[in-house]
Amino acid sequence: INAGAVGAIIAFPIILNCGFVLAQPLGGQFIAMTTSAALAASIVVALLRSVLAGEPLHLVSPKATFAVILSTLLMGAISQPALARAFPSLEQQAGALMALAFLCTLLAGAFQAVLALSRLGKFVRFIPYPVIAGFINGFAIILLLAQIPAMLGAQNWSSVWSMAQGASAPHFGAAVLGVAALLITILLPRWLKWGPAALWGIVLGSALYWAASALFPGTN
């Protein structure tokens, strides 16, 4: 039971990251939808894995790297003019893109089943380590760059560029909360060993946000 609880705690911030990454092509207003989809998928997969597992101990966790691949696919799909003609409203486009993500995930699972049955997965060990390390580090850099506009109170990098040119000012409160959450994630694990650092950053950073909103209701 304890191992399952720890696994769930570790997987939770990963699920949130997957939801945030998937929402990038759609817009910030769809973060709740994509995070709910990531959470539901994780629960369903965990239940199926517990029924079909060949080993008694197996941890199922969402893959943030796969979320980046899906996000890139959705970004390419949303840039097609045919999508806007077929689905005029943004909500309809979001639904179509979520259906596309589901079908692509289903197809990827079918390919994985074929690779497992044919035992072709053993050839993965021939992939050079720098290729894998570069892919993971590139994913980390993408996540970092995606959070910088939010920490400055900007919607995108175009707004950040406008701030650099003096056309607008950064949001002081957003910057303070972002830096505080970052420091919590880095420094708190030195004294508190229980739980993943990212989870403490999310929980305490959110608590700081709600406390600031209650103390300064006129700001957002």
Side-chain angles (χ1 to χ4, degrees):
I1 297 176
N2 292 336
V6 173
I9 292 174
I10 294 175
F12 185 71
I14 302 177
I15 294 172
L16 293 180
N17 284 335
C18 291
F20 292 150
V21 171
L22 283 175
Q24 296 302 315
L26 306 177
Q29 65 269 34
F30 293 102
I31 289 179
M33 181 183 71
T34 54
T35 304
S36 299
L39 181 61
S42 301
I43 294 174
V44 171
V45 171
L47 292 175
L48 292 177
R49 189 67 180 88
S50 64
V51 174
L52 304 176
E55 302 88 12
L57 296 177
H58 191 87
L59 178 62
V60 177
S61 176
K63 294 294 184 181
T65 50
F66 187 65
V68 173
I69 296 174
L70 275 180
S71 180
T72 304
L73 173 68
L74 297 182
M75 186 69 73
I78 203 171
S79 62
Q80 299 298 320
L83 181 69
R85 292 195 298 267
F87 303 98
S89 67
L90 186 59
E91 288 75 13
Q92 291 176 341
Q93 294 178 18
L97 291 175
M98 286 295 98
L100 176 63
F102 172 77
L103 293 176
C104 290
T105 304
L106 187 64
L107 184 61
F111 275 117
Q112 286 186 333
V114 171
L115 292 175
L117 294 174
S118 59
R119 300 187 180 278
L120 294 177
K122 59 185 179 182
F123 292 104
V124 173
R125 67 175 182 266
F126 296 109
I127 298 178
Y129 176 77
V131 174
I132 299 177
F135 181 78
I136 299 299
N137 290 333
F139 167 68
I141 293 173
I142 290 174
L143 282 181
L144 176 63
L145 294 178
Q147 300 309 312
I148 292 177
M151 290 182 64
L152 297 176
Q155 295 182 349
N156 47 45
W157 274 99
S158 298
S159 301
V160 174
W161 180 247
S162 298
M163 291 179 182
Q165 294 178 325
S168 58
H171 195 292
F172 179 75
V176 170
L177 287 175
V179 172
L182 180 61
L183 292 177
I184 290 171
T185 305
I186 296 175
L187 299 179
L188 188 61
R190 297 184 179 182
W191 299 280
L192 188 62
K193 303 298 182 181
W194 185 84
L199 182 62
W200 287 114
I202 292 173
V203 172
L204 296 181
S206 300
L208 287 175
Y209 169 77
W210 291 112
S213 298
L215 293 175
F216 307 99
T219 60
N220 50 32

